[in-house]
C-alpha cells in the first residue's frame, strides 16, 4: 500500500499539532505505524490522500449510521448553509430537532443542545449535582464520558490504550468526588451506594459500554441500578452518546426498557457535524438557565447546519425496518468474522448489540474492563494492519467498537469476511 503522502502530512502535522492529531486515538499509537490522512468519504468507503480506498467500520467513531455523505443529508446541509451558518439566536430548526428527540426517547421531556458529547455529560452532571444538592458520582471502569476533569478516572477509549490512568492536570480534589465500580458489578455498586448514598448525586453509565470495545450489560445490571438509585434519591444518567439512535430509535433505554432520569446524546444526532444534547424529566431540566440557576451556555449551541444534519439523519432512521436491516447485516458480519477466527484456531470473544460490534482476542468471557484488557492487543494490532492492507478499516485500537452503516452492501461484508479469513490464518 502506498502511503507516501500520508507520511509527509503526518510529519508536517506533528510540527503544528501535538502528536499530529486533534484526538489521540487517531494517531495509531496502540497498533503502531502511522495514521492515514483521509481526503474524502462516500457511502461505506474512505479514500486517503494516496489514492487508497477502504471499507470503513469506524464511521467517524459512530455518527455515520447512514454511511458517509448521504445525498439527502448533504443537500439539506448545503441548503441550510445558504441561509447562514450561525445566528446566536433561536431557530425553528432547534425546536424541530428537540421535538424529534423527545418523541423518540420518552424519558426526555426537555432537551438542551450543545456542541459535543463531552459538553453534554459535563452539563448533565452539573445539573444532577444541583438538583440533588449532592457532590459525589459513581462511574464504571472502562466507561468513557468525554474528557471533562472529574470523569477522567478509569475511563476507556483513548485512555485505555494510552495508559493514562488519570490525566495529569486534573487536581485530585476534582476526582475525589468520583467513585468507580467495575461495569456489570452490581455488588460493588450496591456497597458504594450503601456507604455514600447521602452524598451521591448520580450514577452515570454507558448502558452498553462502547469505549472498552463493546461490552453489553448483564440482564440485571441496568434494572438494578434503576431500583437502587430510585430508592436513594440518586439520579441515573445514561450516557447514550454512542447508543442513542444506534441500537434502537429510542436508544438503549428502549431496548432494555430501563428509564433513566437524564440522558446524554451526541454522535448520530449531529449526522456527522458537531452536536451533543442532554435531557430528561422537565422537573429536572427546568433548573437549567435561563429557567433555573444552573448555568450552561454555548456560542454555537443548536448550530443550524448541525441541527439540519441531525433532523435529516433522524428522519431517515424512521424508515420502516431500518434497524432490523442494519442488525441483520451486522449479524452476518459477526458470524463471518467468528467463523474465520474459529477456522484459524484464533481465540476470539465477540460481543454485539445491533450494529455495534466488539471482538476481543481472548477466550473470554468479556464482561467488564478487567476482562476486556485480557485481549491480546498485539494480535489485534496485527489483525488491524493486515486488514488495512486488504482495504478494510477497523478502529486503530482494540478498545473501540466497530460500527455498521446502511451504506455497507452485502458485497462489502463478503469482502470483509474473505479478508478476515486470510488474516486470521496469519495470526
Ligand atoms: C464519544 C463519547 C463521548 C464524548 O463525545 P465527544 O463528542 O467526543 O465529546 C461521551 N460519551 C460516550 C459514551 C462517547 O462514546
Amino acid at each position: 500500500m502506498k502511503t507516501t503522502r500520508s507520511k509527509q502530512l503526518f510529519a508536517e502535522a506533528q510540527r503544528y499539532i501535538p502528536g499530529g492529531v486533534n484526538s489521540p486515538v487517531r494517531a495509531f499509537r496502540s497498533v503502531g505505524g502511522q495514521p492515514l490522512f483521509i481526503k474524502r468519504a462516500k457511502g461505506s468507503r474512505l479514500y486517503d490522500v494516496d489514492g487508497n480506498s477502504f471499507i470503513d467500520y469506524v464511521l467517524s467513531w459512530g455518527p455515520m449510521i447512514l454511511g458517509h455523505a448521504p445525498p439527502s443529508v448533504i443537500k439539506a446541509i448545503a441548503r441550510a448553509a445558504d441561509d447562514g451558518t450561525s445566528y446566536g439566536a433561536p431557530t425553528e430548526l432547534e425546536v424541530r430537532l428537540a421535538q424529534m428527540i423527545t418523541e423518540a426517547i420518552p424519558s426526555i421531556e426537555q432537551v438542551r443542545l450543545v456542541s459535543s458529547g463531552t459538553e453534554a455529560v459535563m452539563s448533565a452532571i452539573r445539573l444532577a449535582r444541583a438538583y440533588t444538592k449532592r457532590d459525589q458520582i459513581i462511574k464504571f471502569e472502562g466507561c468513557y464520558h468525554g474528557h471533562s476533569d472529574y470523569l477522567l478516572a478509569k475511563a476507556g477509549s483513548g485512555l485505555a490504550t494510552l495508559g493514562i490512568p488519570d490525566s495529569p492536570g486534573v487536581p485530585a480534589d476534582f476526582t475525589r468526588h468520583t467513585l468507580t465500580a467495575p461495569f456489570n458489578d452490581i455488588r460493588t455498586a450496591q456497597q458504594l451506594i450503601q456507604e455514600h448514598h447521602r452524598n451521591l448525586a448520580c450514577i452515570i453509565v454507558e448502558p452498553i459500554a462502547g469505549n472498552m470495545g463493546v461490552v453489553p450489560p448483564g440482564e440485571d445490571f441496568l434494572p438494578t441500578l434503576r431500583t437502587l438509585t430510585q430508592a436513594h434519591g440518586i439520579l441515573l444518567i445514561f450516557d447514550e452518546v454512542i447508543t442513542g439512535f444506534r441500537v434502537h430509535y429510542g436508544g438503549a433505554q428502549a431496548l432494555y426498557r430501563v428509564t433513566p432520569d437524564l440522558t446524554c446524546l451526541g454522535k448520530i444526532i449531529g449526522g456527522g457535524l458537531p452536536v451533543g444534547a442532554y435531557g430528561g424529566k422537565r422537573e429536572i431540566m427546568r433548573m437549567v438557565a435561563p429557567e433555573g440557576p444552573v448555568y450552561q451556555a454555548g456560542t454555537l449551541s443548536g448550530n443550524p447546519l448541525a441541527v439540519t444534519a441531525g433532523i435529516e439523519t433522524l428522519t431517515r432512521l424512521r424508515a420502516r425496518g431500518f434497524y432490523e436491516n442494519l442488525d441483520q447485516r451486522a449479524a452476518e458480519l459477526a458470524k463471518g468474522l467468528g467463523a474465520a477466527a474459529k477456522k484459524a484456531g484464533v481465540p476470539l470473544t465477540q460481543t454485539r448489540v445491533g450494529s455495534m460490534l466488539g471482538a476481543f482476542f481472548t477466550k473470554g468471557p468479556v464482561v467488564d474492563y478487567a476482562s476486556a484488557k485480557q485481549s491480546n492487543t498485539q494480535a489485534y494490532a496485527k489483525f488491524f494492519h493486515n486488514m488495512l492492507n486488504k482495504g478494510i478499516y477497523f478502529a486503530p485500537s482494540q478498545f473501540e467498537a466497530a460500527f455498521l452503516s446502511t451504506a455497507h452492501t452485502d458485497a462489502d461484508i463478503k469482502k470483509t469476511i474473505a479478508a478476515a479469513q486470510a488474516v486470521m490464518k496469519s495470526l
Side-chain angles (χ1 to χ4, degrees):
M1 181 167 56
K2 186 171 160 249
T3 58
T4 322
R5 186 66 188 137
S6 274
K7 286 207 174 84
Q8 274 170 2
L9 283 170
F10 191 48
E12 203 183 343
Q14 284 168 293
R15 265 215 303 276
Y16 306 115
I17 303 171
V21 292
N22 283 311
S23 196
V25 191
R26 295 180 195 171
F28 281 29
R29 289 275 170 108
S30 70
V31 289
Q34 301 203 353
L36 301 177
F37 279 62
I38 303 305
K39 187 160 186 174
R40 64 188 187 89
K42 183 76 187 166
S44 63
R45 307 278 162 147
L46 284 179
Y47 299 87
D48 75 5
V49 289
D50 287 289
N52 304 302
S53 81
F54 305 91
I55 301 172
D56 180 21
Y57 292 102
V58 179
L59 296 174
S60 189
W61 308 95
M64 315 313 302
I65 192 167
L66 302 173
H68 293 285
S72 70
V73 177
I74 299 304
K75 259 188 223 131
I77 295 172
R79 261 201 313 272
D82 234 16
D83 290 334
T85 56
S86 185
Y87 320 120
T91 62
E92 180 172 351
L93 293 167
E94 293 161 85
V95 182
R96 292 297 150 248
L97 182 58
Q99 183 184 10
M100 288 178 93
I101 291 171
T102 56
E103 283 170 4
I105 306 175
S107 76
I108 303 183
E109 293 173 352
Q110 284 198 319
V111 62
R112 171 58 65 82
L113 300 178
V114 294
S115 297
S116 71
T118 295
E119 218 186 325
V121 175
M122 186 185 83
S123 310
I125 288 182
R126 179 181 303 150
L127 179 58
R129 284 173 161 157
Y131 180 77
T132 58
K133 302 191 177 67
R134 299 168 177 175
D135 288 338
Q136 280 181 322
I137 66 172
I138 293 178
K139 79 175 281 290
F140 294 92
E141 291 167 20
C143 283
Y144 178 68
H145 302 294
H147 64 87
S148 62
D149 282 339
Y150 49 84
L151 288 167
L152 288 182
K154 301 194 177 164
S157 197
L159 296 123
T161 48
L162 276 177
I164 304 174
D166 298 307
S167 172
V170 178
D173 276 359
F174 287 26
T175 46
R176 190 162 59 92
H177 298 299
T178 308
L179 309 171
T180 59
F183 191 75
N184 273 330
D185 180 348
I186 283 296
R187 191 170 300 176
T188 302
Q190 204 159 11
Q191 280 167 0
L192 286 175
I193 290 168
Q194 223 135 48
E195 204 172 319
H196 298 278
H197 64 89
R198 274 181 205 83
N199 198 28
L200 267 172
C202 63
I203 295 186
I204 184 162
V205 65
E206 289 181 73
I208 301 159
N211 286 285
M212 48 174 149
V214 175
V215 182
E219 204 177 319
D220 296 335
F221 184 55
L222 300 173
T224 308
L225 289 182
R226 180 65 285 184
T227 310
L228 290 173
T229 47
Q230 215 143 29
H232 291 100
I234 301 163
L235 298 189
L236 180 62
I237 305 180
F238 276 5
D239 181 349
E240 297 226 40
V241 171
I242 288 184
T243 54
F245 298 96
R246 165 59 66 182
V247 296
H248 188 288
Y249 192 71
Q253 54 195 273
L255 200 62
Y256 298 119
R257 297 171 203 275
V258 177
T259 306
D261 299 295
L262 293 171
T263 299
C264 302
L265 296 168
K267 298 193 170 123
I268 287 175
I269 62 159
L273 271 75
V275 179
Y278 65 104
K281 292 197 179 99
R282 186 170 285 108
E283 179 200 340
I284 305 173
M285 290 304 291
R286 67 193 229 198
M287 289 194 70
V288 177
E291 197 165 350
V294 179
Y295 195 70
Q296 184 270 305
T299 303
L300 294 177
S301 289
N303 174 265
L305 299 194
V307 168
T308 297
I311 292 171
E312 187 55 37
T313 300
L314 298 198
T315 302
R316 297 272 309 275
L317 302 186
R318 289 197 299 207
R320 183 183 288 270
F322 180 93
Y323 288 94
E324 287 80 358
N325 280 337
L326 197 55
D327 184 76
Q328 203 180 339
R329 270 232 208 121
E332 245 163 70
L333 175 63
K335 195 171 130 204
L337 294 178
K342 193 160 179 207
K343 185 142 184 244
V346 174
L348 193 73
T349 300
Q350 292 181 287
T351 51
R352 181 177 75 84
V353 181
S355 55
M356 277 174 84
L357 297 97
F360 301 88
F361 288 85
T362 171
K363 281 208 193 78
V366 174
V367 296
D368 57 14
Y369 195 30
S371 48
K373 282 198 294 191
Q374 292 304 308
S375 185
N376 180 344
T377 52
Q378 272 161 357
Y380 183 83
K382 206 165 162 195
F383 171 78
F384 166 81
H385 278 294
N386 290 346
M387 291 300 278
L388 195 65
N389 274 313
K390 292 182 180 298
I392 318 286
Y393 196 102
F394 279 109
S397 160
Q398 166 73 80
F399 302 106
E400 302 289 349
F403 296 105
L404 210 67
S405 79
T406 44
H408 287 79
T409 62
D410 288 338
D412 287 337
I413 289 166
K414 278 210 186 89
K415 189 178 166 191
T416 305
I417 293 170
Q421 285 166 347
V423 168
M424 289 289 185
K425 264 190 235 153
S426 74
L427 291 182

